[in-house]
Amino acid sequence: MCGRISCHLPRDVLTRACAYRNRQGERRLPEWRDADKYCPSYNKSPRSSSPVLLSRLHFEKSADSSERIIVPMRWGLVPSWFQESDPSKLLFNTANCRSDTIMEKRSFRSGSIGAADSPEDWNKVWDNWRLLTMAGIFDCWEPPEGGDHLYSYTIITVDACKVLNDIHQRMPAILDGEEAVSKWLDFGEVSTQEALKLIHPTENITFHPVSFVVNNCLNNTPDCLTPVDLSVIKQLKARGCSHRMLQWLARNSPTKEDPKTPQKTESDVRQFLPKSPSSVKRSSAVLLEQWLKQEKEEEPVAKQLHSE
């Protein structure tokens, strides 16, 4: 269900946004692991890298499980038991994981993935907004031939809440509030069954439509997040050269013959058949030239003067 996320905060701002209180009640900032692998982006797609917030206990056995670290990970779970040398050969969708089948995974780790829209003023106090934190699971894969370990994650999805049900039947499992985030991450103190109770639909979200710019993962601009008016998009689809091209194709493309009309004789058909492939190109070129000429004549005068 989740095909795009946004996390474009600078690293220091993201660190401050993930501030937390440890078991002693002290306000702390999470430390980074492989911080150089973090790449801010307005348009992250599966197989890209995203920051994952998790308990330090995953990496240091003697650490306090309430302490947190941030690790850039590949979006799309590569399980530790995967035997191929190339993770891209996975034949199943690993970007999302259904909450009702999560316990069927052969490896399970608690983790949360943060993706958020950010304020224009980086120094603004985090009063009116918070990081959108989604629950997920992660794993560590080691190449069969040896090499660097690959940390990867998948986003847990649940049944969509009422306001989102018309868009999709699934939604990300959002951890609503600091207490929920703490319980999900602190697997040293909170059991798996207790943590899974945090996974449920939530109505505490806002959303808006965005443009088709987001469909291409190469587009990494604020336009990927800018709200758009769906009625305007529908009007644009029905206007412009694309609409006139469809009309032109409707006028000039071959149509099925009416069975009631008399059949043409072989001699009648032969005189309309092209003599060679080059003549087909010439006839198509003539039609296209006529269409372009018509488009030129229909352009506003100001536009024609500008183009000239």
Side-chain angles (χ1 to χ4, degrees):
M1 176 263 163
C2 298
R4 292 291 189 275
I5 58 176
S6 172
C7 190
H8 57 278
L9 298 171
R11 194 172 70 191
D12 61 326
V13 178
L14 178 61
T15 304
R16 298 205 310 270
C18 293
Y20 67 98
R21 294 189 183 278
N22 61 12
R23 209 179 311 281
Q24 289 73 37
E26 301 170 334
R27 193 70 173 173
R28 305 291 296 273
L29 294 178
E31 296 183 3
W32 281 79
R33 182 185 176 96
D34 297 330
D36 57 321
K37 295 181 179 179
Y38 171 55
C39 298
S41 174
Y42 291 93
N43 192 10
K44 289 184 177 292
S45 60
R47 298 189 182 181
S48 64
S49 177
S50 301
V52 175
L53 184 67
L54 65 160
S55 171
R56 183 190 293 273
L57 189 59
H58 285 298
F59 292 90
E60 301 175 18
K61 294 183 178 179
S62 59
D64 183 345
S65 59
S66 67
E67 300 288 344
R68 303 177 188 176
I69 60 174
I70 303 177
V71 184
M73 294 188 184
R74 176 190 188 269
W75 182 13
L77 191 70
V78 180
S80 56
W81 45 262
F82 186 64
Q83 297 298 317
E84 295 285 347
S85 58
D86 183 3
S88 64
K89 294 182 179 180
L90 280 172
L91 300 179
F92 50 89
N93 179 23
T94 59
N96 301 149
C97 173
R98 293 178 61 95
S99 58
D100 50 357
T101 60
I102 191 172
M103 295 306 294
E104 298 176 7
K105 296 289 182 180
R106 293 169 62 178
S107 60
F108 178 85
R109 302 286 189 272
S110 295
S112 67
I113 300 89
D117 195 3
S118 54
E120 296 179 0
D121 184 2
W122 299 124
N123 296 318
K124 183 178 180 180
V125 180
W126 312 91
D127 291 335
N128 301 322
W129 72 285
R130 62 184 174 83
L131 208 65
L132 173 62
T133 309
M134 296 176 286
I137 58 176
F138 80 93
D139 207 342
C140 179
W141 174 75
E142 183 178 357
E145 296 84 3
D148 295 336
H149 292 187
L150 174 64
Y151 287 91
S152 60
Y153 73 93
T154 181
I155 297 174
I156 300 173
T157 64
V158 296
D159 292 334
C161 59
K162 292 182 179 179
V163 294
L164 288 179
N165 198 47
D166 290 339
I167 301 176
H168 200 280
Q169 69 272 20
R170 306 289 294 177
M171 68 177 292
I174 299 173
L175 299 172
D176 195 4
E178 175 61 25
E179 182 179 358
V181 173
S182 297
K183 287 184 177 180
W184 179 256
L185 294 178
D186 194 356
F187 70 98
E189 296 292 328
V190 180
S191 67
T192 299
Q193 295 299 329
E194 190 69 19
L196 288 176
K197 294 179 182 179
L198 303 168
I199 305 303
H200 53 75
T202 178
E203 302 279 352
N204 188 20
I205 58 172
T206 59
F207 57 92
H208 61 260
V210 296
S211 72
F212 296 112
V213 172
V214 75
N215 289 350
N216 188 338
C217 61
L218 297 179
N219 295 329
N220 180 18
T221 68
D223 291 338
C224 295
L225 306 181
T226 304
V228 298
D229 188 343
L230 292 180
S231 62
V232 173
I233 293 180
K234 291 179 180 179
Q235 291 176 5
L236 290 175
K237 284 184 177 181
R239 296 177 181 176
C241 293
S242 59
H243 181 63
R244 286 193 287 270
M245 174 61 89
L246 291 175
Q247 291 179 333
W248 176 79
L249 291 174
R251 291 195 304 267
N252 295 281
S253 59
T255 56
K256 293 183 179 180
E257 293 183 340
D258 188 343
K260 297 181 181 180
T261 59
Q263 298 293 321
K264 294 183 176 65
T265 64
E266 183 178 354
S267 59
D268 293 333
V269 174
R270 186 180 294 113
Q271 64 178 335
F272 291 103
L273 291 177
K275 302 298 182 180
S276 65
S278 60
S279 61
V280 176
K281 296 180 180 179
R282 285 197 299 271
S283 60
S284 300
V286 171
L287 290 174
L288 182 57
E289 183 179 357
Q290 292 174 351
W291 180 82
L292 292 174
K293 182 178 180 180
Q294 179 184 350
E295 284 291 305
K296 185 69 174 179
E297 293 173 351
E298 292 179 359
E299 287 183 354
V301 176
K303 185 176 180 181
Q304 292 185 27
L305 293 176
H306 179 73
S307 62
E308 293 172 356

